[in-house]
Every structure is written in C-alpha cells, then in structure tokens.
Amino acid sequence: MTFRQFAFNNVLRNKRLYIAYFLSSMFTVMVFFTFAIFAFHPAFSDASVNETAVFGMGVAGGIIYVFSFFFVLYSMSSFLQSRKKEFGLLMMFGASNRQIRLLVFLENILIGFFATVSGILTGLVFAKVILLIAENVLIISESLDFYFPTWAIIVTFISFLILFFLISVFVSFILRTNKLIDLIKGDKKSKGEPKASLLLSILAALLLLVGYGTAVYVKGLFVIYAMIPVIVVVTLGTYLLFTQLSVYVIRKLKGNKSIFWKKTNMLLFSDLSFRMKDNARTFFLVAIISTVAFSAIGTLYGFQAYLTKGIKDINRYTFTYSPLGDDSKEVIEKDISQVNAILKDEKLDAMMEQVQLNYYQVTGKKESVLIARASDYNSFAGLIGETELHPKENEAIVVEQSDAVLMNGKSKASKELMETAIPLKSGQEISPTRVIEASVLTEIKAYYVVNDKIYDQINEPIESNHSVVWQVKEGQTDKVVEVGKQLDKELPFKAFSVDYTIYQINKAYGPILFIGLFIGIVFFVSAGSFLYFRLFTDLEEEKRKFQSIAKIGLTESELKRVVNRQIALLFFSPIIVALIHGSVALTALSHFFDFNITVEASLVLGSFAFIQLLYFLIVRYFYVKQVKRIIL
C-alpha cells in the first residue's frame, strides 16, 4: 500500500467526521458557484442588467470566499483535535513529523478536491431553479436562461483548489510542535474544570444590560452614535457570559443538592461544567456569527418594508396627476385626456376624481394652509373606502397624514393647526374642534376640512393646485405597472404611479436583499456546522463515558434524556443569545426609522429558529443512534 493509498483509506475510515466537513465545504462551493453563474451569465455580461447586481454578486462572492477560508480552517482544526491519538500511534510506529504533515496535507487536498467537484455538480443540478428564483427576486425583464457556465466552473474550481491548498499547507504545520505524549493523550488529557470569577460574572450581566438598555432606549440619529459602543459592550458581555457567567451559574447549580442530585442532573452538570471552557469559545463564536446573520437579513428585509409600505401608505391612489406650476388649463386638460387614453388602451377599469386644492392665509400662521371643501374630501374618500367627514357650519376638522408620512412631526403639525383659526369674509373666525388621521387628499402637510356652505365665505386663496386621481380595481397589477411606466415616460414629474414606484424600488433593492440573504444563510449554516464539529469531535470520549455508566445501571430512556439535554444546551444556548441580540438590534433599527418592523423581525428570527430546531432534531437522531450502539 502506497502512502497516497494510506491517506485515501484514512479519509474513508474517518468518514463520520469528514462527512460534516465535506458537506459544509461542498455547500460553500455550491453557493460560490451560484454567484459565479450569475456573474458570468450572458444577461449580465451584455450589460442588459443593472450594474448594481453585477457589482453586488462580485462583492458577495469575495465575502463568501474569505469566510470560507476561516470556516475550512476551523473545520480542519476540529478534525486534528479528534485524531491526535491516531497521529501519536503513527509516530510510535515510525512515522516522522514530515510524513504526518504530508498525510494531513494529502487528506485535506483529497477532501477539498471532491468537495469542489461535488459543489459544482450540485450547483449545476439546481442552477435553473436558482436562476428562476433570482429572476423574480431581482425583478429583471430579461430571462436568466440556463447556459453551460464554463467560466463559472473554471473560476470556482481554481479558486477553491487554491483555497484548499493553502489551508492544507497551513494545517499540516499545526502538529509540528506537538510532543508524542501530547498526541497519545490528546483525547484523554483533561484541561480541568474552568473557574469563574464572581466579579467578571457580574460584569457580564451589567455589560449586557447596559448594551440592551442603550440600544432600546435611544431613538432617531442617536441610534447611529450609540451603535459602535453598544456592539463593543454587547460583544464583550457575550464573551464573559459564556466564559464566566455561565460557568458560575453551573457551579452554583452543582452546589444545590436538590437540583444536582435529581435524576440524571449529576451527569448533565458534571459533563457540562468539565467541558465548559471549550464549549464557551464555540458558543461565543456561534452567537456572534448568528447575530450578524440575523441582524443583516432582518435589517435588509425591514428596510425594504419601510420603503415600500411607507410609499403605499402615503399614496392610496393607483395614479395621481399634479400639474407643474406654470401649466395652463389647456395643458392640464390635455394631460388628463392623455392619461385616460392610456388607461383605455390598456383596458384598465379606473374611477377618476379631481379637485382644485386652494391654499389660504390663516390667523397666526405665516405659511399658507390647505382648506378643503367637505364634498371634495368625501368624493376622494369614497375611492379608497375612507370615512366621510361632515363638519358642522361652525366647525373645522384638522386632517393629518398617517405616521408613515409625518413620523416625528405629526403631533407638532396638528397642534399648530388646532391653535389657529380660519378667518371669514364677514370678519368672524372658525376654530378647529378635532384632529383625525387619514390619507385622502394628495397633500403631505396637515390641512382643514370645512362645511361646503362655510367654504364659500372664506377669503380669496393665495395659491391653487390641481389634483387628479385614478383608482383601479384590484387584480390588474401587471397592467398597472406597465401603465405607470408609460406615464412616467410621457408625463414625467406630473403623473405618479405608486405600483410602478414600488416596482422600481424592488428592482433596485432586489439584488441587495438577494445577496444579503445568501450571505446570511452561509453564515448561519457555518455556525451550525461549528456546533456539529464540537459535538462529534468528542463522540468517542462520550461513547466510552456512557458505556462505563451503562454498566452501573444507566437505562436507555435515561441515556436519551441526558443526551437530549446535552445536545439541546449545545445547539440552543448560543442561538437563544443570538436571537435576543438580533431582537434588540432590530428594535434599535425600528427606533432609527421610527417604523414598526415587528412583523418582519419576527418572520426572520422565527424562520432561523425553526431551521435550527430542524437541524437539532436531525443531529440528535444520528448522535443518539451512535451512542446507543455502545450500551445496547
């Protein structure tokens, strides 16, 4: 048997450990290859798609590639940790340090080669599905047809061969300074139970409380100023949480006899406390990486909702026409006829209303204010199903736009109008009686609505604008977007289509959301893989431990209970911390925009929590199956 055959057989014999490394590496290659397919797609190469998508794909590919280096490096170090005894035995049989390093190098190159090939082949299988998804998410008119991605294959293959080669060279020198006795006792040598400082444990709790409190308390631009300090404080607090506070709590629980001596808690706390030092570092790494993934995707998704929902709340009508200041009556009538002609050509069933918006000088206010006739207001309100207003003859109603428009200025605007009176020609004044919120007239600022009889008694307006709206019945979105595109081309700065505007926002924002989603998924899958490596690295030691305990009476049900708790703590401790971090971060984001993104944040965080639960159930099944073989 040659040395190369020996390295190949080593990989096959350690397939349980290498399968996680192989699958994770293959997934990373597949994601990178997917971006390469986009980057080298003819639609992008011909510059028929916006350059933002092309640039974003390149940046995303670079991020994934750099992250892959550290991910693979961590994976290999986990394997070496679990195989120290094997390397020690080889040295006892005469293998030199150079041969051990060569063995590690060949094994990693072998795994890297097949992971790269498998990732490319898997990417080719799902390429058309991914292209279809991207075509819809990116909102491009061109079809991303399947093609044979020669350049994508070449770039991916060469890039990851270089990556695995560099990793192999680097990792092969890790064993260089290890002594033989350390290798032989590598999986038995105890690092000792970690000790926790009460002072550092209290500091961990204080740092997290201060960080959370600051992030939730600050609003507006202060969120930006507080962001870096909060990140530093929470990161440090998270590290101390896992290395100090969690250890301190476990030691206290071990000291409580009613808890420690209850059923199988002795096995749980003793094992967890003994290995906490190693687990704490993994927990911290996973919590931070997962928080980055949660926050990034939640921010992107929430910001998209902020943009689109805000515009939809402001503009309740399908189409809006507002002439320029110097347009004559003839030009306005011609434009309105042109809009109606376009709607007729596209066979869109739309109801139209128009009104002359008059602005007046009111008592105690320098700026002019819109005063609307109740009948005009009600005609517009009927199009969108808003409540009609019927003010009395001696009453004025203040109407202000929704929170999506005025945000922090809402209460100030309404207060000013409520304190202002409307003068009449007779010298009398009408005082407003109440304030309502509505998005009826196409006016951003707050305005008055008065009785029709009183309206004719108001002084002459100092400014007038014409406003025309069309409301299309639901179920005609595609035609509405096309009409909006025509209106934007033929009547720029006059005609406005809310659906076409949202379409343009989604088209520009789609690449950012798509890229951010992929990068976030890569980070999250990598974090899950770290937990898998940490769990299965100690599997042989766990088998021996449970085999010994089984001899003194450990039942199968008790074994399942202990293993379930151990895996649950490993998988959910960092994720729960990351979910809390993510919730606080997204709450701060909502305070910055003054926009509620609870639904979007819950959807993102809930999705990741569900994925982690599935991952836990799958890993637990195979782990319990491995351990049960020892005691049955």
Side-chain angles (χ1 to χ4, degrees):
M1 181 171 62
T2 64
F3 196 79
R4 287 189 298 271
Q5 290 174 330
F6 180 70
F8 182 79
N9 290 333
N10 258 341
V11 173
L12 293 180
R13 295 188 189 107
N14 289 278
K15 55 182 177 293
R16 176 183 50 78
L17 281 177
Y18 274 108
I19 192 65
Y21 172 39
F22 173 79
L23 291 177
S24 300
S25 301
M26 185 185 74
F27 176 81
T28 305
V29 173
M30 185 186 72
V31 174
F32 182 88
F33 179 61
T34 300
F35 281 108
I37 290 177
F38 293 147
F40 292 102
H41 196 283
F44 289 81
S45 301
D46 296 339
S48 58
V49 180
N50 64 74
E51 296 180 0
T52 304
V54 180
F55 177 76
M57 294 297 175
V59 172
I63 293 174
I64 293 173
Y65 187 77
V66 172
F67 185 78
S68 299
F69 179 87
F70 295 102
F71 172 64
V72 175
L73 182 63
Y74 179 88
S75 305
M76 276 305 300
S77 64
S78 297
F79 298 142
L80 293 178
Q81 183 70 24
S82 63
R83 297 180 60 205
K84 282 185 176 181
K85 184 177 180 180
E86 175 188 338
F87 295 144
L89 291 174
L90 289 175
M91 292 181 68
M92 286 183 63
F93 292 142
S96 63
N97 281 331
R98 181 177 176 277
Q99 288 176 318
I100 296 295
R101 294 197 298 271
L102 180 60
L103 175 66
V104 173
F105 176 83
L106 292 176
E107 287 180 350
N108 199 36
I109 285 292
L110 187 65
I111 291 293
F113 174 80
F114 284 106
T116 303
V117 173
S118 300
I120 292 174
L121 292 176
T122 307
L124 285 173
V125 172
F126 294 102
K128 181 57 183 175
V129 176
I130 296 173
L131 287 172
L132 286 173
I133 295 174
E135 186 177 324
N136 287 278
V137 174
L138 297 178
I139 311 178
I140 56 179
S141 55
E142 295 81 0
S143 177
L144 295 179
D145 297 324
F146 178 77
Y147 73 108
F148 190 77
T150 305
W151 276 107
I153 293 174
I154 293 174
V155 170
T156 304
F157 187 77
I158 294 177
S159 298
F160 275 88
L161 278 189
I162 293 174
L163 183 145
F164 283 111
F165 175 80
L166 294 176
I167 291 291
S168 301
V169 171
F170 181 79
V171 171
S172 63
F173 284 92
I174 292 179
L175 296 174
R176 191 173 188 177
T177 58
N178 286 22
K179 298 179 181 180
L180 178 60
I181 187 65
D182 294 329
L183 294 174
I184 293 295
K185 296 183 177 181
D187 60 344
K188 295 181 180 180
K189 188 177 180 181
S190 172
K191 296 182 179 180
E193 183 177 350
K195 296 181 180 180
S197 166
L198 176 60
L199 182 62
L200 291 177
S201 299
I202 295 175
L203 179 61
L206 288 177
L207 288 173
L208 291 176
L209 288 175
V210 170
Y212 288 163
T214 304
V216 173
Y217 178 76
V218 297
K219 296 182 180 180
L221 290 176
F222 290 103
V223 174
I224 300 296
Y225 302 143
M227 183 174 64
I228 299 300
V230 167
I231 291 175
V232 173
V233 167
V234 171
T235 301
L236 181 58
T238 304
Y239 181 78
L240 293 177
L241 168 68
F242 290 124
T243 58
Q244 299 294 326
L245 182 58
S246 59
V247 176
Y248 183 80
V249 171
I250 291 172
R251 291 175 68 90
K252 284 297 181 181
L253 290 174
K254 287 177 65 177
N256 189 320
K257 295 182 179 180
S258 60
I259 296 176
F260 185 69
W261 292 94
K262 184 178 180 180
K263 296 183 179 180
T264 56
N265 284 351
M266 182 190 298
L267 295 177
L268 175 66
F269 289 122
S270 296
D271 182 74
L272 184 61
S273 178
F274 185 76
R275 298 189 306 168
M276 193 57 204
K277 191 172 183 179
D278 289 336
N279 287 341
R281 295 169 182 172
T282 304
F283 287 172
F284 171 72
L285 184 64
V286 171
I288 296 301
I289 292 175
S290 300
T291 300
V292 172
F294 299 162
S295 301
I297 295 177
T299 299
L300 291 173
Y301 188 43
F303 187 63
Q304 184 189 37
Y306 168 75
L307 291 175
T308 56
K309 191 174 184 297
I311 291 177
K312 195 71 175 178
D313 288 342
I314 298 171
N315 302 277
R316 301 287 299 279
Y317 305 101
T318 311
F319 304 109
T320 304
Y321 171 79
S322 300
L324 300 178
D326 57 349
D327 284 348
S328 63
K329 183 177 180 181
E330 292 74 16
V331 172
I332 294 174
E333 291 178 351
K334 180 182 177 182
D335 290 342
I336 295 174
S337 299
Q338 187 175 359
V339 174
N340 287 325
I342 294 174
L343 293 174
K344 185 177 180 181
D345 291 341
E346 293 293 334
K347 298 179 181 180
L348 275 179
D349 185 12
M351 295 181 291
M352 184 188 82
E353 290 289 347
Q354 57 182 319
V355 66
Q356 186 79 15
L357 301 177
N358 294 323
Y359 297 81
Y360 299 84
Q361 190 69 49
V362 296
T363 304
K365 191 170 178 61
K366 295 181 180 180
E367 298 178 355
S368 60
V369 179
L370 170 65
I371 302 177
R373 194 190 304 265
S375 59
D376 291 336
Y377 178 92
N378 293 336
S379 65
F380 272 57
L383 290 180
I384 56 177
E386 281 282 358
T387 303
E388 295 184 354
L389 295 181
H390 301 283
K392 299 176 182 178
E393 291 188 14
N394 61 343
E395 179 187 19
I397 300 175
V398 177
V399 180
E400 60 179 3
Q401 295 285 15
S402 62
D403 294 340
V405 182
L406 297 178
M407 298 181 183
N408 293 331
K410 182 192 68 170
S411 58
K412 182 179 178 181
S414 62
K415 184 179 179 180
E416 287 182 355
L417 291 190
M418 284 296 292
E419 296 174 351
T420 305
I422 302 174
L424 302 179
K425 294 177 181 178
S426 62
Q428 297 178 339
E429 292 183 342
I430 297 178
S431 298
T433 57
R434 57 195 171 103
V435 180
I436 68 164
E437 285 190 15
S439 299
V440 175
L441 297 181
T442 57
E443 173 69 13
I444 296 178
K445 298 179 181 179
Y447 56 92
Y448 293 111
V449 175
V450 299
N451 187 281
D452 285 19
K453 294 180 180 180
I454 296 297
Y455 189 82
D456 296 329
Q457 301 178 28
I458 304 175
N459 295 325
E460 294 298 319
I462 60 175
E463 183 184 354
S464 295
N465 288 324
H466 202 79
S467 178
V468 187
V469 297
W470 290 264
Q471 188 69 6
V472 176
K473 295 181 179 180
E474 296 182 0
Q476 306 178 79
T477 306
D478 294 339
K479 291 183 178 180
V480 166
V481 172
E482 184 58 35
V483 170
K485 185 177 181 180
Q486 292 184 47
L487 293 177
D488 184 66
K489 182 179 181 181
E490 298 184 17
L491 296 172
F493 309 111
K494 296 182 180 181
F496 176 81
S497 169
V498 61
D499 293 276
Y500 179 63
T501 302
I502 292 176
Y503 169 82
Q504 288 181 307
I505 291 175
N506 289 334
K507 184 176 181 179
Y509 197 76
I512 301 174
L513 183 63
F514 186 73
I515 293 166
L517 180 65
F518 258 77
I519 294 177
I521 290 174
V522 169
F523 274 49
F524 187 66
V525 170
S526 300
S529 298
F530 292 160
L531 295 176
Y532 180 92
F533 297 145
R534 179 67 263 169
L535 183 67
F536 278 88
T537 296
D538 300 325
L539 180 59
E540 295 301 324
E541 181 182 349
E542 290 294 292
K543 285 181 178 180
R544 290 193 296 269
K545 181 187 70 177
F546 284 115
Q547 188 178 33
S548 300
I549 299 174
K551 294 178 180 179
I552 58 175
L554 183 70
T555 64
E556 182 179 346
S557 60
E558 289 173 332
L559 169 68
K560 283 186 176 181
R561 185 161 55 247
V562 173
V563 172
N564 285 340
R565 290 179 180 181
Q566 284 184 346
I567 302 176
L569 283 171
L570 182 69
F571 269 76
F572 292 113
S573 294
I575 296 301
I576 290 174
V577 172
L579 289 173
I580 296 173
H581 287 356
S583 300
V584 173
L586 295 178
T587 300
L589 177 70
S590 67
H591 288 169
F592 175 69
F593 290 114
D594 195 15
F595 181 78
N596 191 345
I597 58 170
T598 302
V599 175
E600 290 76 17
S602 300
L603 182 60
V604 171
L605 298 177
S607 299
F608 278 111
F610 178 72
I611 293 172
Q612 185 71 5
L613 178 61
L614 290 180
Y615 193 29
F616 162 73
L617 294 174
I618 294 172
V619 172
R620 184 191 65 173
Y621 171 78
F622 289 104
Y623 189 85
V624 172
K625 187 177 179 181
Q626 288 278 343
V627 175
K628 281 173 62 177
R629 291 177 181 174
I630 300 299
I631 67 173
L632 295 180

